[in-house]
Amino acid sequence: MKTAAGHLTYCTNIHPGENWDDHFAQLKKFIPAIKQQVSPDKPFGIGLRLANTASLELSKEAPLKAFQQWLKEEDCYVFTMNGFPYGGFHNVVVKDQVHAPDWTSADRVAYTIRLFRILAALLPEGMEGGISTNPLGYKHWCNRCEEDKNSYTESATLNMLLVLEQLVRTHRSGGPLMHLDIEPEPDGMMENTSEYINWYFENLLPAGIPFIKEKFNIEDDQAAADIIKTHIQLCYDVCHFALVYEAPHRVIERMQHHGLKIGKLQISAALKADMPADTSARKEVTDAFRKFNEPVYLHQVIAKRNDGAFIHYPDLPEALADENNPAVTEWRSHFHVPVFLDKFGVLQSTQEDIKQVLAIQREHPFTQHMEAETYTWDVLPPALKQEMSLSVSRELNWIREQL
């Protein structure tokens, strides 16, 4: 839905359905009810997630036309898509496979270009569109080949330029302006602002400027760089940046200082807790974290030490195995919890980061696209589960109140 601070929606990756018919059935079931509760009299925006199989099916003329007709009838529109998870995302073990295929793969390129073609067909006239994607790949897949990390990054970046070329051609031929939004996360090849900015200036622009100049007969380096900055932007997932202990104002200030754009704000919260020195109090905290230790998604933990350094655990079980580490003073875990709550017993959420970033967005909008992305409703502890449309509506209304 359109707000004074930009378009607000939720990501349909919370709904199962890896083929189009199944996912469309979920949209028909939930979106009209959610719209009625948050935007009954105005168009309602959708953050669409399509698995690879669903994208192949929706690329066909008949299903696409049927979806366009349904959007019109329901007074809905699609302005952003989630192109991070390629395959199964529900009822399977996802874990690190959420990054597969990575950006060194031709399958990732083909999938992303296909999503942009679908988005171009769905976007309302005059509206820009964006698709979020994974941050090149997963760091732990490169641990055994550290000496090849540069070649890995180079290969992934060159593949991304193939998508960039299609976005530029689409816009230059009269189509919509669309951007690929890179989403850093813990243990991704980019997991914080510094790594994103370094990649942009050390890899993307050096490879992209001559590429764009040659493909589009452009002579000026700055003009080519501006094109890249228009079409490759950041997806700022508030949960992910809170996990790496980056304050919202710092993220936004650094991006603006370097002249880089934020294409999408994903509004999500992580779990956190101070780790008491007292053994029994600490056990109460770690036992609370155990209730969130489920087998489907990665729940990376970044622990803060008493000397200011950090310990990165690839998943919650590894952190729980080190629960009595006396040097650790805080845990933050990658478990998307409802954004309208800030306490879960002895645990807290990083909701305060969301409030801060939305306050900045309210006063000085830095993006046109905002998307709630709590995808973990199915795996939350039972006490936190509610009916899906009620949960999503409550999140969107809470976000709108902050704006």
Side-chain angles (χ1 to χ4, degrees):
M1 56 190 155
K2 185 73 167 68
T3 75
H7 295 273
L8 172 64
T9 184
Y10 78 100
C11 182
T12 69
N13 66 351
I14 71 174
H15 303 306
E18 309 312 323
N19 65 62
W20 173 242
D21 285 345
D22 288 348
H23 196 65
F24 194 17
Q26 291 285 305
L27 303 187
K28 291 176 179 176
K29 177 180 179 180
F30 289 107
I31 284 181
I34 294 169
K35 181 181 186 302
Q36 183 60 35
Q37 295 177 69
V38 300
S39 185
D41 303 320
K42 295 181 180 179
F44 180 72
I46 297 173
L48 187 63
R49 186 261 162 167
L50 298 175
N52 182 59
T53 299
S55 73
L56 290 166
E57 294 163 347
L58 190 56
S59 294
K60 298 175 182 177
E61 183 177 4
L64 185 60
K65 284 189 174 181
F67 184 45
Q68 290 171 319
Q69 182 61 32
W70 180 81
L71 290 170
K72 182 177 180 181
E73 292 171 356
E74 297 295 335
D75 196 20
C76 294
Y77 62 99
V78 175
F79 65 92
T80 186
M81 295 176 69
N82 186 337
F84 195 143
Y86 172 98
F89 200 61
H90 292 272
N91 305 315
V92 296
V93 176
V94 180
K95 294 296 183 180
D96 61 348
Q97 292 304 301
V98 71
H99 288 279
D102 62 22
W103 272 98
T104 64
S105 166
D107 287 341
R108 173 63 67 174
V109 176
Y111 168 63
T112 306
I113 290 175
R114 188 183 313 119
L115 291 182
F116 272 115
R117 288 173 178 162
I118 293 170
L119 181 59
L122 297 175
L123 274 171
E125 187 174 354
M127 189 177 296
E128 72 176 58
I131 296 177
S132 51
T133 191
N134 70 330
L136 302 187
Y138 185 55
K139 276 182 179 174
H140 292 294
W141 292 346
C142 289
N143 280 351
R144 60 186 178 276
C145 55
E146 187 63 33
E147 67 276 9
D148 294 330
K149 184 176 178 181
N150 289 338
S151 62
Y152 178 99
T153 301
E154 179 183 358
S155 175
T157 303
L158 291 176
N159 272 344
M160 197 171 282
L161 294 182
L162 302 178
V163 178
L164 171 65
E165 179 184 0
Q166 296 302 312
L167 297 181
V168 177
R169 291 196 186 282
T170 297
H171 193 221
R172 289 193 156 207
S173 64
L177 189 158
M178 298 182 292
H179 37 82
L180 182 63
D181 303 327
I182 315 300
E183 182 181 340
E185 78 161 40
D187 293 332
M189 294 299 290
M190 291 174 271
E191 58 180 298
N192 54 48
T193 311
S194 292
E195 290 181 352
Y196 176 81
I197 291 172
N198 289 344
W199 167 77
Y200 215 102
F201 286 94
E202 294 176 8
N203 298 99
L204 180 62
L205 289 180
I209 288 173
F211 178 86
I212 289 295
K213 289 173 68 176
E214 178 183 357
K215 292 291 182 180
F216 297 98
N217 196 26
I218 294 171
E219 295 184 0
D220 182 61
D221 282 6
Q222 187 58 53
D226 289 343
I227 289 172
I228 297 169
K229 291 178 181 180
T230 296
H231 291 286
I232 297 186
Q233 303 189 21
L234 176 76
C235 174
Y236 178 9
D237 187 306
V238 184
C239 166
H240 296 173
F241 282 83
L243 286 167
V244 295
Y245 297 80
E246 287 200 60
H249 74 276
R250 181 64 174 154
V251 175
I252 295 165
E253 286 173 358
R254 293 190 69 192
M255 290 291 293
Q256 293 175 342
H257 174 76
H258 288 280
L260 300 178
K261 298 179 180 180
I262 297 174
K264 174 157 67 175
L265 175 65
Q266 281 188 331
I267 302 165
S268 58
L271 279 175
K272 71 173 185 177
D274 292 331
M275 300 300 283
D278 177 76
T279 303
S280 61
R282 178 175 289 239
K283 186 176 187 306
E284 185 180 8
V285 171
T286 55
D287 283 348
F289 271 107
R290 277 189 177 84
K291 296 177 182 178
F292 292 86
N293 185 23
E294 59 80 34
V296 176
Y297 303 108
L298 274 180
H299 301 298
Q300 305 95 314
V301 174
I302 299 183
K304 190 173 185 179
R305 291 167 43 99
N306 51 21
D307 60 2
F310 298 99
I311 302 174
H312 291 239
Y313 301 101
D315 204 353
L316 187 51
E318 287 86 347
L320 291 169
D322 194 34
E323 61 184 307
N324 294 317
N325 188 328
V328 169
T329 59
E330 182 179 354
W331 275 11
R332 296 190 179 188
S333 178
H334 183 203
F335 196 118
H336 288 213
V337 289
V339 302
F340 48 76
L341 298 175
D342 63 349
K343 294 189 187 323
F344 304 87
V346 296
L347 307 182
Q348 300 88 45
S349 83
T350 56
Q351 185 195 76
E352 181 58 33
D353 286 55
I354 297 175
K355 290 182 175 180
Q356 291 178 20
V357 78
L358 291 179
I360 297 169
Q361 174 71 1
R362 182 180 66 238
E363 297 299 324
H364 304 286
F366 55 84
T367 182
Q368 284 297 303
H369 294 173
M370 297 174 288
E371 179 182 69
E373 208 226 358
T374 306
Y375 57 79
T376 50
W377 298 107
D378 289 343
V379 296
L380 284 170
L384 295 175
K385 291 183 179 180
Q386 294 180 315
E387 193 276 325
M388 182 68 75
S389 62
L390 177 62
S391 297
V392 175
S393 301
R394 188 175 174 187
E395 285 205 314
L396 292 175
N397 282 325
W398 181 87
I399 293 167
R400 190 163 55 180
E401 288 173 6
Q402 307 306 308
L403 292 170

